[in-house]
Short mmCIF file of all heavy atoms in Angstrom, two decimals:
data_model
loop_
_atom_site.label_atom_id
_atom_site.label_comp_id
_atom_site.label_asym_id
_atom_site.label_seq_id
_atom_site.Cartn_x
_atom_site.Cartn_y
_atom_site.Cartn_z
N ASN N 109 -14.93 7.52 11.12
CA ASN N 109 -13.63 7.10 10.61
C ASN N 109 -13.49 7.28 9.10
O ASN N 109 -12.40 7.14 8.55
CB ASN N 109 -13.37 5.63 10.95
CG ASN N 109 -13.17 5.43 12.44
OD1 ASN N 109 -12.58 6.27 13.11
ND2 ASN N 109 -13.71 4.35 12.98
N ILE N 111 -12.83 9.23 6.02
CA ILE N 111 -12.22 10.51 5.66
C ILE N 111 -11.94 10.51 4.16
O ILE N 111 -11.85 9.45 3.54
CB ILE N 111 -10.89 10.77 6.42
CG1 ILE N 111 -9.88 9.62 6.22
CG2 ILE N 111 -11.15 10.98 7.91
CD1 ILE N 111 -8.47 9.92 6.71
N LEU N 113 -9.41 11.95 1.03
CA LEU N 113 -8.11 12.52 0.68
C LEU N 113 -8.05 12.66 -0.83
O LEU N 113 -8.48 11.74 -1.55
CB LEU N 113 -6.98 11.57 1.09
CG LEU N 113 -6.64 11.36 2.56
CD1 LEU N 113 -6.02 9.98 2.74
CD2 LEU N 113 -5.67 12.42 3.04
N ASP N 137 -10.48 18.31 8.71
CA ASP N 137 -9.85 17.11 9.26
C ASP N 137 -10.32 15.86 8.53
O ASP N 137 -9.65 14.83 8.55
CB ASP N 137 -10.19 16.95 10.75
CG ASP N 137 -9.36 17.88 11.62
OD1 ASP N 137 -8.38 18.44 11.10
OD2 ASP N 137 -9.72 18.05 12.80
N ILE N 140 -9.62 16.18 3.17
CA ILE N 140 -8.24 16.66 3.17
C ILE N 140 -7.74 16.90 1.75
O ILE N 140 -7.61 15.97 0.96
CB ILE N 140 -7.32 15.65 3.91
CG1 ILE N 140 -7.86 15.42 5.34
CG2 ILE N 140 -5.88 16.14 3.92
CD1 ILE N 140 -7.21 14.26 6.07
N PRO N 143 -1.37 17.68 -1.57
CA PRO N 143 -0.50 18.12 -2.67
C PRO N 143 -0.67 17.15 -3.86
O PRO N 143 -1.21 16.05 -3.69
CB PRO N 143 0.91 17.98 -2.10
CG PRO N 143 0.76 17.75 -0.63
CD PRO N 143 -0.61 17.22 -0.41
N SER N 145 0.51 14.59 -5.33
CA SER N 145 1.51 13.54 -5.06
C SER N 145 0.76 12.24 -4.79
O SER N 145 0.53 11.87 -3.65
CB SER N 145 2.40 13.93 -3.88
OG SER N 145 1.67 14.46 -2.80
N GLU N 146 0.38 11.58 -5.87
CA GLU N 146 -0.48 10.40 -5.76
C GLU N 146 0.15 9.30 -4.92
O GLU N 146 -0.54 8.61 -4.17
CB GLU N 146 -0.84 9.86 -7.15
CG GLU N 146 -1.89 10.68 -7.91
CD GLU N 146 -1.33 11.91 -8.60
OE1 GLU N 146 -0.10 12.09 -8.62
OE2 GLU N 146 -2.14 12.71 -9.14
N THR N 147 1.46 9.10 -5.05
CA THR N 147 2.12 8.07 -4.23
C THR N 147 2.00 8.43 -2.76
O THR N 147 1.67 7.60 -1.92
CB THR N 147 3.60 7.96 -4.61
OG1 THR N 147 3.67 7.46 -5.93
CG2 THR N 147 4.35 7.03 -3.67
N GLY N 148 2.27 9.69 -2.46
CA GLY N 148 2.26 10.15 -1.07
C GLY N 148 0.90 10.00 -0.43
O GLY N 148 0.76 9.40 0.64
N PHE N 149 -0.14 10.52 -1.08
CA PHE N 149 -1.43 10.48 -0.38
C PHE N 149 -2.14 9.14 -0.51
O PHE N 149 -2.94 8.77 0.36
CB PHE N 149 -2.32 11.68 -0.72
CG PHE N 149 -2.86 11.76 -2.13
CD1 PHE N 149 -3.91 10.97 -2.53
CD2 PHE N 149 -2.33 12.68 -3.03
CE1 PHE N 149 -4.43 11.07 -3.83
CE2 PHE N 149 -2.85 12.78 -4.32
CZ PHE N 149 -3.90 11.98 -4.71
N GLY N 151 -0.41 6.33 -0.33
CA GLY N 151 0.30 5.63 0.75
C GLY N 151 -0.25 6.04 2.11
O GLY N 151 -0.45 5.20 2.99
N ALA N 152 -0.50 7.33 2.27
CA ALA N 152 -1.05 7.81 3.54
C ALA N 152 -2.44 7.21 3.77
O ALA N 152 -2.79 6.84 4.89
CB ALA N 152 -1.10 9.34 3.56
N GLY N 155 -1.86 3.71 5.02
CA GLY N 155 -1.43 3.72 6.42
C GLY N 155 -2.57 4.06 7.36
O GLY N 155 -2.71 3.47 8.43
N ALA N 156 -3.41 5.01 6.94
CA ALA N 156 -4.55 5.39 7.77
C ALA N 156 -5.55 4.23 7.84
O ALA N 156 -6.09 3.92 8.91
CB ALA N 156 -5.21 6.64 7.21
N MET N 158 -4.86 1.09 7.62
CA MET N 158 -4.28 0.01 8.43
C MET N 158 -4.39 0.28 9.92
O MET N 158 -4.19 -0.62 10.73
CB MET N 158 -2.80 -0.17 8.06
CG MET N 158 -2.58 -0.78 6.69
SD MET N 158 -0.86 -0.59 6.15
CE MET N 158 -0.01 -1.72 7.24
N THR N 159 -4.66 1.53 10.28
CA THR N 159 -4.65 1.89 11.69
C THR N 159 -6.00 2.38 12.21
O THR N 159 -6.06 3.02 13.25
CB THR N 159 -3.57 2.97 11.93
OG1 THR N 159 -3.75 4.03 10.98
CG2 THR N 159 -2.17 2.42 11.78
N GLY N 160 -7.06 2.09 11.46
CA GLY N 160 -8.38 2.34 12.02
C GLY N 160 -9.27 3.34 11.30
O GLY N 160 -10.42 3.52 11.68
N MET N 161 -8.74 4.00 10.27
CA MET N 161 -9.60 4.92 9.51
C MET N 161 -10.19 4.17 8.33
O MET N 161 -9.79 3.05 8.00
CB MET N 161 -8.82 6.13 9.00
CG MET N 161 -8.03 6.89 10.05
SD MET N 161 -9.01 7.51 11.42
CE MET N 161 -9.97 8.79 10.64
N ASP N 178 2.85 1.43 -7.20
CA ASP N 178 3.52 0.65 -6.16
C ASP N 178 2.65 0.60 -4.91
O ASP N 178 2.45 -0.47 -4.33
CB ASP N 178 4.90 1.21 -5.80
CG ASP N 178 5.46 0.47 -4.60
OD1 ASP N 178 5.65 -0.76 -4.71
OD2 ASP N 178 5.66 1.08 -3.54
N GLN N 179 2.13 1.76 -4.52
CA GLN N 179 1.31 1.78 -3.32
C GLN N 179 0.04 0.94 -3.50
O GLN N 179 -0.40 0.27 -2.58
CB GLN N 179 0.94 3.23 -2.95
CG GLN N 179 2.13 4.03 -2.40
CD GLN N 179 2.67 3.48 -1.07
OE1 GLN N 179 1.94 2.90 -0.28
NE2 GLN N 179 3.95 3.67 -0.83
N ASN N 182 1.57 -3.10 -4.87
CA ASN N 182 2.52 -3.78 -3.97
C ASN N 182 2.18 -3.63 -2.50
O ASN N 182 2.56 -4.46 -1.69
CB ASN N 182 3.95 -3.25 -4.18
CG ASN N 182 4.64 -3.91 -5.35
OD1 ASN N 182 4.40 -5.07 -5.65
ND2 ASN N 182 5.50 -3.18 -6.02
N GLN N 183 1.54 -2.50 -2.18
CA GLN N 183 1.26 -2.25 -0.76
C GLN N 183 -0.19 -2.63 -0.43
O GLN N 183 -0.42 -3.64 0.21
CB GLN N 183 1.56 -0.78 -0.41
CG GLN N 183 2.93 -0.30 -0.89
CD GLN N 183 4.09 -1.10 -0.32
OE1 GLN N 183 4.02 -1.59 0.80
NE2 GLN N 183 5.16 -1.25 -1.07
N MET N 187 -0.94 -6.24 1.59
CA MET N 187 -0.67 -6.04 3.02
C MET N 187 -1.33 -7.11 3.88
O MET N 187 -0.72 -7.64 4.80
CB MET N 187 -1.18 -4.65 3.40
CG MET N 187 -0.39 -3.98 4.48
SD MET N 187 1.39 -4.02 4.25
CE MET N 187 1.71 -2.52 3.36
N THR N 188 -2.57 -7.42 3.60
CA THR N 188 -3.29 -8.40 4.41
C THR N 188 -2.64 -9.77 4.29
O THR N 188 -2.40 -10.46 5.28
CB THR N 188 -4.78 -8.45 3.99
OG1 THR N 188 -5.33 -7.16 4.20
CG2 THR N 188 -5.56 -9.47 4.80
N TYR N 189 -2.30 -10.14 3.09
CA TYR N 189 -1.71 -11.46 2.85
C TYR N 189 -0.32 -11.56 3.47
O TYR N 189 0.00 -12.51 4.18
CB TYR N 189 -1.63 -11.72 1.35
CG TYR N 189 -1.45 -13.18 1.00
CD1 TYR N 189 -2.54 -14.04 0.96
CD2 TYR N 189 -0.20 -13.70 0.70
CE1 TYR N 189 -2.40 -15.37 0.64
CE2 TYR N 189 -0.03 -15.03 0.37
CZ TYR N 189 -1.14 -15.87 0.34
OH TYR N 189 -0.99 -17.20 0.02
N MET N 190 0.51 -10.54 3.20
CA MET N 190 1.89 -10.57 3.69
C MET N 190 1.95 -10.59 5.21
O MET N 190 2.91 -11.10 5.78
CB MET N 190 2.67 -9.35 3.19
CG MET N 190 2.89 -9.31 1.70
SD MET N 190 4.10 -8.05 1.19
CE MET N 190 3.38 -6.54 1.79
N SER N 191 0.94 -10.00 5.84
CA SER N 191 0.96 -9.95 7.31
C SER N 191 0.26 -11.17 7.90
O SER N 191 0.03 -11.21 9.11
CB SER N 191 0.31 -8.66 7.80
OG SER N 191 -1.09 -8.70 7.55
N GLY N 192 -0.08 -12.10 7.08
CA GLY N 192 -0.77 -13.30 7.57
C GLY N 192 -2.14 -12.98 8.16
O GLY N 192 -2.58 -13.62 9.10
N GLY N 193 -2.77 -11.95 7.60
CA GLY N 193 -4.13 -11.62 8.02
C GLY N 193 -4.19 -10.67 9.21
O GLY N 193 -5.28 -10.33 9.68
N GLN N 194 -3.05 -10.21 9.69
CA GLN N 194 -3.06 -9.29 10.85
C GLN N 194 -3.62 -7.93 10.48
O GLN N 194 -4.25 -7.27 11.28
CB GLN N 194 -1.64 -9.06 11.35
CG GLN N 194 -0.96 -10.24 11.97
CD GLN N 194 0.44 -9.84 12.42
OE1 GLN N 194 0.62 -9.27 13.47
NE2 GLN N 194 1.43 -10.13 11.60
N THR N 195 -3.34 -7.50 9.27
CA THR N 195 -3.65 -6.14 8.86
C THR N 195 -4.75 -6.12 7.82
O THR N 195 -4.68 -6.85 6.83
CB THR N 195 -2.39 -5.49 8.24
OG1 THR N 195 -1.32 -5.66 9.14
CG2 THR N 195 -2.61 -4.03 7.98
N LYS N 196 -5.74 -5.28 8.05
CA LYS N 196 -6.76 -5.07 7.02
C LYS N 196 -6.56 -3.68 6.43
O LYS N 196 -6.09 -2.78 7.12
CB LYS N 196 -8.16 -5.17 7.64
CG LYS N 196 -8.49 -6.56 8.14
CD LYS N 196 -8.87 -7.46 7.00
CE LYS N 196 -9.25 -8.85 7.50
NZ LYS N 196 -9.42 -9.78 6.36
N GLY N 228 -6.07 -9.27 -4.43
CA GLY N 228 -6.05 -8.45 -3.22
C GLY N 228 -6.85 -7.16 -3.34
O GLY N 228 -7.06 -6.46 -2.37
N LEU N 229 -7.28 -6.86 -4.57
CA LEU N 229 -8.09 -5.66 -4.79
C LEU N 229 -9.46 -6.07 -5.28
O LEU N 229 -9.59 -7.03 -6.03
CB LEU N 229 -7.45 -4.77 -5.87
CG LEU N 229 -6.02 -4.28 -5.65
CD1 LEU N 229 -5.51 -3.59 -6.91
CD2 LEU N 229 -5.95 -3.34 -4.46
N LYS N 230 -10.48 -5.33 -4.87
CA LYS N 230 -11.80 -5.50 -5.50
C LYS N 230 -11.96 -4.34 -6.48
O LYS N 230 -11.42 -3.26 -6.25
CB LYS N 230 -12.91 -5.53 -4.45
CG LYS N 230 -12.80 -6.80 -3.59
CD LYS N 230 -13.98 -7.02 -2.68
CE LYS N 230 -13.78 -8.33 -1.91
NZ LYS N 230 -14.85 -8.55 -0.93
N CYS N 252 -11.33 -4.51 2.66
CA CYS N 252 -10.16 -4.64 1.80
C CYS N 252 -10.12 -3.45 0.84
O CYS N 252 -11.10 -2.71 0.73
CB CYS N 252 -10.25 -5.93 1.00
SG CYS N 252 -11.62 -5.92 -0.14
N VAL N 325 -14.03 -7.63 -9.86
CA VAL N 325 -13.62 -8.50 -8.75
C VAL N 325 -14.46 -8.10 -7.56
O VAL N 325 -14.40 -6.94 -7.15
CB VAL N 325 -12.13 -8.30 -8.39
CG1 VAL N 325 -11.73 -9.27 -7.29
CG2 VAL N 325 -11.22 -8.46 -9.60
N TYR Y 172 3.34 3.48 16.20
CA TYR Y 172 3.46 2.73 14.94
C TYR Y 172 4.86 2.85 14.35
O TYR Y 172 5.47 3.92 14.41
CB TYR Y 172 2.47 3.28 13.91
CG TYR Y 172 1.03 3.15 14.32
CD1 TYR Y 172 0.26 4.28 14.60
CD2 TYR Y 172 0.43 1.90 14.43
CE1 TYR Y 172 -1.08 4.16 14.98
CE2 TYR Y 172 -0.91 1.77 14.79
CZ TYR Y 172 -1.64 2.91 15.07
OH TYR Y 172 -2.96 2.79 15.43
N TYR Y 204 5.23 -14.59 12.70
CA TYR Y 204 4.33 -13.44 12.84
C TYR Y 204 3.30 -13.39 11.72
O TYR Y 204 2.18 -12.97 11.91
CB TYR Y 204 5.14 -12.14 12.87
CG TYR Y 204 5.56 -11.75 14.27
CD1 TYR Y 204 6.90 -11.74 14.64
CD2 TYR Y 204 4.61 -11.42 15.23
CE1 TYR Y 204 7.29 -11.40 15.93
CE2 TYR Y 204 4.98 -11.08 16.52
CZ TYR Y 204 6.32 -11.07 16.87
OH TYR Y 204 6.68 -10.74 18.14
N CYS Y 205 3.70 -13.77 10.54
CA CYS Y 205 2.80 -13.68 9.38
C CYS Y 205 2.43 -15.08 8.87
O CYS Y 205 2.17 -15.27 7.69
CB CYS Y 205 3.44 -12.85 8.29
SG CYS Y 205 4.11 -11.28 8.88
N LYS Y 206 2.46 -16.05 9.79
CA LYS Y 206 2.13 -17.44 9.46
C LYS Y 206 3.03 -18.01 8.36
O LYS Y 206 2.62 -18.89 7.61
CB LYS Y 206 0.65 -17.56 9.04
CG LYS Y 206 -0.32 -17.12 10.13
CD LYS Y 206 -1.74 -17.52 9.82
CE LYS Y 206 -2.44 -16.51 8.95
NZ LYS Y 206 -3.87 -16.79 8.78
N LYS Y 208 3.86 -16.45 5.69
CA LYS Y 208 3.45 -15.98 4.36
C LYS Y 208 4.11 -14.65 3.97
O LYS Y 208 3.98 -14.20 2.84
CB LYS Y 208 1.92 -15.81 4.33
CG LYS Y 208 1.22 -17.16 4.45
CD LYS Y 208 -0.23 -17.03 4.86
CE LYS Y 208 -1.09 -16.51 3.73
NZ LYS Y 208 -2.53 -16.67 4.06
N GLY Y 209 4.78 -14.03 4.93
CA GLY Y 209 5.45 -12.75 4.65
C GLY Y 209 6.93 -12.93 4.44
O GLY Y 209 7.49 -12.50 3.44
N HIS Y 213 8.92 -8.94 5.10
CA HIS Y 213 7.58 -8.42 5.38
C HIS Y 213 7.12 -8.64 6.82
O HIS Y 213 5.94 -8.86 7.07
CB HIS Y 213 6.58 -9.03 4.40
CG HIS Y 213 6.98 -8.83 2.97
ND1 HIS Y 213 7.11 -7.58 2.43
CD2 HIS Y 213 7.35 -9.70 2.01
CE1 HIS Y 213 7.53 -7.70 1.17
NE2 HIS Y 213 7.68 -8.97 0.89
N ALA Y 215 5.60 -8.18 10.20
CA ALA Y 215 4.60 -7.26 10.73
C ALA Y 215 4.08 -7.81 12.05
O ALA Y 215 4.03 -9.03 12.23
CB ALA Y 215 3.44 -7.11 9.75
N CYS Y 216 3.75 -6.94 12.96
CA CYS Y 216 3.12 -7.37 14.21
C CYS Y 216 2.19 -6.27 14.67
O CYS Y 216 2.61 -5.22 15.13
CB CYS Y 216 4.15 -7.67 15.28
SG CYS Y 216 3.37 -8.02 16.86
N ARG Y 217 0.92 -6.54 14.50
CA ARG Y 217 -0.11 -5.56 14.80
C ARG Y 217 -0.08 -5.11 16.26
O ARG Y 217 -0.15 -3.92 16.54
CB ARG Y 217 -1.46 -6.20 14.46
CG ARG Y 217 -2.55 -5.22 14.25
CD ARG Y 217 -3.87 -5.93 13.97
NE ARG Y 217 -4.95 -5.02 14.25
CZ ARG Y 217 -5.35 -4.06 13.41
NH1 ARG Y 217 -4.74 -3.93 12.26
NH2 ARG Y 217 -6.33 -3.26 13.75
N GLU Y 218 0.06 -6.07 17.17
CA GLU Y 218 0.03 -5.74 18.60
C GLU Y 218 1.15 -4.79 19.01
O GLU Y 218 1.01 -4.05 19.97
CB GLU Y 218 0.20 -6.99 19.46
CG GLU Y 218 -0.90 -8.00 19.37
CD GLU Y 218 -0.35 -9.41 19.50
OE1 GLU Y 218 0.58 -9.63 20.29
OE2 GLU Y 218 -0.84 -10.28 18.75
N LEU Y 222 3.77 -2.01 11.55
CA LEU Y 222 2.82 -2.07 10.42
C LEU Y 222 3.37 -2.88 9.27
O LEU Y 222 2.63 -3.28 8.38
CB LEU Y 222 2.49 -0.66 9.95
CG LEU Y 222 1.74 0.20 10.98
CD1 LEU Y 222 1.52 1.60 10.43
CD2 LEU Y 222 0.42 -0.44 11.36
N ASN Y 225 9.08 -3.65 4.46
CA ASN Y 225 8.73 -3.46 3.06
C ASN Y 225 9.83 -3.88 2.11
O ASN Y 225 10.99 -3.57 2.32
CB ASN Y 225 8.39 -1.98 2.84
CG ASN Y 225 7.23 -1.84 1.89
OD1 ASN Y 225 7.31 -2.32 0.76
ND2 ASN Y 225 6.16 -1.24 2.34
N ILE Y 227 9.92 -2.88 -0.93
CA ILE Y 227 10.10 -1.81 -1.92
C ILE Y 227 10.74 -0.62 -1.21
O ILE Y 227 10.20 -0.10 -0.24
CB ILE Y 227 8.74 -1.39 -2.53
CG1 ILE Y 227 7.96 -2.61 -3.05
CG2 ILE Y 227 8.93 -0.34 -3.61
CD1 ILE Y 227 8.61 -3.37 -4.19
N ALA Y 230 8.83 2.63 0.31
CA ALA Y 230 7.36 2.52 0.23
C ALA Y 230 6.68 2.61 1.60
O ALA Y 230 5.51 2.97 1.68
CB ALA Y 230 6.97 1.22 -0.46
N PRO Y 233 5.34 6.78 3.18
CA PRO Y 233 3.99 7.35 3.17
C PRO Y 233 2.99 6.57 4.02
O PRO Y 233 2.05 7.16 4.55
CB PRO Y 233 3.58 7.32 1.69
CG PRO Y 233 4.59 6.54 0.96
CD PRO Y 233 5.82 6.46 1.81
N ILE Y 234 3.22 5.29 4.19
CA ILE Y 234 2.30 4.49 5.01
C ILE Y 234 2.39 4.95 6.47
O ILE Y 234 1.37 5.08 7.16
CB ILE Y 234 2.61 2.98 4.84
CG1 ILE Y 234 2.27 2.57 3.40
CG2 ILE Y 234 1.83 2.14 5.85
CD1 ILE Y 234 2.65 1.15 3.03
N VAL Y 236 3.16 7.91 7.37
CA VAL Y 236 2.48 9.22 7.39
C VAL Y 236 0.97 9.02 7.57
O VAL Y 236 0.32 9.76 8.31
CB VAL Y 236 2.80 10.01 6.10
CG1 VAL Y 236 1.91 11.24 5.96
CG2 VAL Y 236 4.27 10.43 6.10
N GLY Y 237 0.45 7.99 6.94
CA GLY Y 237 -0.98 7.68 7.09
C GLY Y 237 -1.32 7.24 8.51
O GLY Y 237 -2.37 7.60 9.05
N ALA Y 238 -0.43 6.47 9.12
CA ALA Y 238 -0.66 6.06 10.51
C ALA Y 238 -0.65 7.28 11.43
O ALA Y 238 -1.44 7.37 12.37
CB ALA Y 238 0.41 5.05 10.94
N LEU Y 240 -1.55 10.19 10.51
CA LEU Y 240 -2.83 10.87 10.22
C LEU Y 240 -3.94 10.30 11.12
O LEU Y 240 -4.76 11.04 11.67
CB LEU Y 240 -3.17 10.70 8.74
CG LEU Y 240 -4.44 11.37 8.22
CD1 LEU Y 240 -4.34 12.89 8.32
CD2 LEU Y 240 -4.68 10.97 6.76
N THR Y 241 -3.95 8.99 11.26
CA THR Y 241 -4.92 8.35 12.15
C THR Y 241 -4.74 8.84 13.58
O THR Y 241 -5.71 9.22 14.25
CB THR Y 241 -4.76 6.81 12.13
OG1 THR Y 241 -4.96 6.34 10.80
CG2 THR Y 241 -5.75 6.13 13.06
N ASN Y 244 -5.94 12.35 13.86
CA ASN Y 244 -7.39 12.44 13.69
C ASN Y 244 -8.14 11.92 14.91
O ASN Y 244 -9.14 12.49 15.34
CB ASN Y 244 -7.77 11.65 12.43
CG ASN Y 244 -9.04 12.15 11.80
OD1 ASN Y 244 -10.09 12.03 12.40
ND2 ASN Y 244 -8.94 12.73 10.62
N LYS Y 245 -7.65 10.83 15.46
CA LYS Y 245 -8.34 10.22 16.61
C LYS Y 245 -7.82 10.77 17.94
O LYS Y 245 -8.29 10.35 18.99
CB LYS Y 245 -8.14 8.70 16.57
CG LYS Y 245 -8.91 7.98 15.47
CD LYS Y 245 -8.60 6.48 15.53
CE LYS Y 245 -9.38 5.67 14.53
NZ LYS Y 245 -10.75 5.36 14.95
N LYS Y 246 -6.83 11.65 17.87
CA LYS Y 246 -6.25 12.26 19.08
C LYS Y 246 -5.86 11.20 20.12
O LYS Y 246 -6.20 11.29 21.29
CB LYS Y 246 -7.23 13.26 19.69
CG LYS Y 246 -7.60 14.39 18.74
CD LYS Y 246 -8.53 15.39 19.41
CE LYS Y 246 -8.81 16.59 18.54
NZ LYS Y 246 -9.48 16.28 17.26
N ALA Y 264 8.60 8.51 -3.24
CA ALA Y 264 7.74 8.26 -2.08
C ALA Y 264 8.26 9.01 -0.85
O ALA Y 264 7.47 9.54 -0.06
CB ALA Y 264 7.66 6.76 -1.79
N GLU Y 267 7.45 12.82 -1.35
CA GLU Y 267 6.01 13.08 -1.27
C GLU Y 267 5.52 12.93 0.17
O GLU Y 267 4.71 13.72 0.64
CB GLU Y 267 5.26 12.11 -2.20
CG GLU Y 267 5.60 12.35 -3.66
CD GLU Y 267 4.69 11.58 -4.61
OE1 GLU Y 267 3.62 11.13 -4.19
OE2 GLU Y 267 5.07 11.44 -5.79
N ALA Y 268 6.04 11.93 0.84
CA ALA Y 268 5.61 11.68 2.22
C ALA Y 268 6.07 12.80 3.14
O ALA Y 268 5.32 13.26 4.01
CB ALA Y 268 6.16 10.34 2.70
N ASN Y 270 6.74 15.94 2.36
CA ASN Y 270 5.99 17.17 2.09
C ASN Y 270 4.58 17.10 2.68
O ASN Y 270 4.11 18.04 3.31
CB ASN Y 270 5.93 17.41 0.57
CG ASN Y 270 5.27 18.73 0.24
OD1 ASN Y 270 5.65 19.77 0.78
ND2 ASN Y 270 4.27 18.69 -0.62
N LEU Y 271 3.94 15.94 2.50
CA LEU Y 271 2.58 15.76 3.01
C LEU Y 271 2.56 15.87 4.55
O LEU Y 271 1.70 16.54 5.13
CB LEU Y 271 2.05 14.40 2.55
CG LEU Y 271 0.58 14.08 2.78
CD1 LEU Y 271 -0.32 15.09 2.08
CD2 LEU Y 271 0.25 12.67 2.28
N VAL Y 274 3.06 19.55 5.58
CA VAL Y 274 1.88 20.38 5.31
C VAL Y 274 0.76 20.08 6.30
O VAL Y 274 0.09 20.97 6.78
CB VAL Y 274 1.43 20.17 3.84
CG1 VAL Y 274 0.05 20.73 3.61
CG2 VAL Y 274 2.42 20.81 2.89
N LEU Y 275 0.56 18.80 6.61
CA LEU Y 275 -0.52 18.42 7.52
C LEU Y 275 -0.06 18.41 8.99
O LEU Y 275 -0.84 18.10 9.87
CB LEU Y 275 -1.08 17.05 7.14
CG LEU Y 275 -1.70 16.92 5.74
CD1 LEU Y 275 -2.16 15.48 5.49
CD2 LEU Y 275 -2.87 17.88 5.56
N GLU Y 424 -3.54 -22.32 3.74
CA GLU Y 424 -3.09 -20.93 3.93
C GLU Y 424 -2.85 -20.20 2.61
O GLU Y 424 -2.80 -18.98 2.56
CB GLU Y 424 -1.83 -20.88 4.79
CG GLU Y 424 -2.09 -21.04 6.27
CD GLU Y 424 -2.95 -19.94 6.87
OE1 GLU Y 424 -3.06 -18.85 6.26
OE2 GLU Y 424 -3.52 -20.19 7.94
N ILE Y 425 -2.68 -20.95 1.54
CA ILE Y 425 -2.51 -20.30 0.23
C ILE Y 425 -3.67 -19.36 -0.04
O ILE Y 425 -3.50 -18.26 -0.55
CB ILE Y 425 -2.42 -21.36 -0.90
CG1 ILE Y 425 -1.14 -22.18 -0.76
CG2 ILE Y 425 -2.49 -20.69 -2.28
CD1 ILE Y 425 -1.06 -23.37 -1.70
N PHE Y 426 -4.86 -19.80 0.35
CA PHE Y 426 -6.07 -19.07 -0.05
C PHE Y 426 -6.68 -18.19 1.04
O PHE Y 426 -7.71 -17.59 0.82
CB PHE Y 426 -7.11 -20.06 -0.57
CG PHE Y 426 -6.62 -20.81 -1.78
CD1 PHE Y 426 -6.22 -22.14 -1.68
CD2 PHE Y 426 -6.51 -20.17 -3.01
CE1 PHE Y 426 -5.74 -22.82 -2.79
CE2 PHE Y 426 -6.03 -20.84 -4.11
CZ PHE Y 426 -5.65 -22.17 -4.01
N THR Y 427 -6.03 -18.10 2.20
CA THR Y 427 -6.59 -17.23 3.25
C THR Y 427 -5.90 -15.86 3.21
O THR Y 427 -4.82 -15.71 2.63
CB THR Y 427 -6.38 -17.84 4.65
OG1 THR Y 427 -4.97 -17.95 4.89
CG2 THR Y 427 -7.03 -19.20 4.77
N ASP Y 428 -6.54 -14.90 3.82
CA ASP Y 428 -5.98 -13.54 4.01
C ASP Y 428 -5.76 -12.76 2.70
O ASP Y 428 -4.91 -11.87 2.65
CB ASP Y 428 -4.65 -13.60 4.77
CG ASP Y 428 -4.71 -14.43 6.04
OD1 ASP Y 428 -5.72 -14.30 6.75
OD2 ASP Y 428 -3.78 -15.21 6.30
N VAL Y 429 -6.47 -13.12 1.65
CA VAL Y 429 -6.27 -12.40 0.38
C VAL Y 429 -6.99 -11.05 0.42
O VAL Y 429 -6.44 -10.04 -0.03
CB VAL Y 429 -6.76 -13.24 -0.82
CG1 VAL Y 429 -6.57 -12.46 -2.12
CG2 VAL Y 429 -5.99 -14.56 -0.88
N TYR Y 430 -8.21 -11.04 0.95
CA TYR Y 430 -8.98 -9.78 0.99
C TYR Y 430 -9.24 -9.34 2.42
O TYR Y 430 -9.31 -10.15 3.31
CB TYR Y 430 -10.32 -9.96 0.27
CG TYR Y 430 -10.13 -10.15 -1.20
CD1 TYR Y 430 -10.18 -11.42 -1.77
CD2 TYR Y 430 -9.82 -9.05 -2.03
CE1 TYR Y 430 -9.96 -11.59 -3.12
CE2 TYR Y 430 -9.61 -9.23 -3.38
CZ TYR Y 430 -9.68 -10.50 -3.93
OH TYR Y 430 -9.47 -10.66 -5.27
#
Side-chain angles (χ1 to χ4, degrees):
Chain N
N109 292 323
I111 55 169
L113 289 153
D137 282 347
I140 303 169
S145 44
E146 284 81 7
T147 294
F149 68 76
M158 289 166 71
T159 50
M161 307 303 291
D178 173 61
Q179 289 295 331
N182 277 328
Q183 310 301 328
M187 212 48 91
T188 299
Y189 198 82
M190 293 192 301
S191 69
Q194 292 180 82
T195 308
K196 294 282 182 189
L229 303 172
K230 292 189 178 176
C252 65
V325 183
Chain Y
Y172 298 112
Y204 271 114
C205 311
K206 300 192 274 187
K208 293 162 74 168
H213 306 298
C216 174
R217 200 182 160 80
E218 295 145 38
L222 295 177
N225 218 302
I227 308 297
I234 293 174
V236 169
L240 182 64
T241 300
N244 206 294
K245 288 179 177 279
K246 300 182 175 62
E267 295 190 18
N270 185 51
L271 189 59
V274 167
L275 299 178
E424 282 297 340
I425 293 172
F426 299 105
T427 62
D428 310 318
V429 179
Y430 292 100

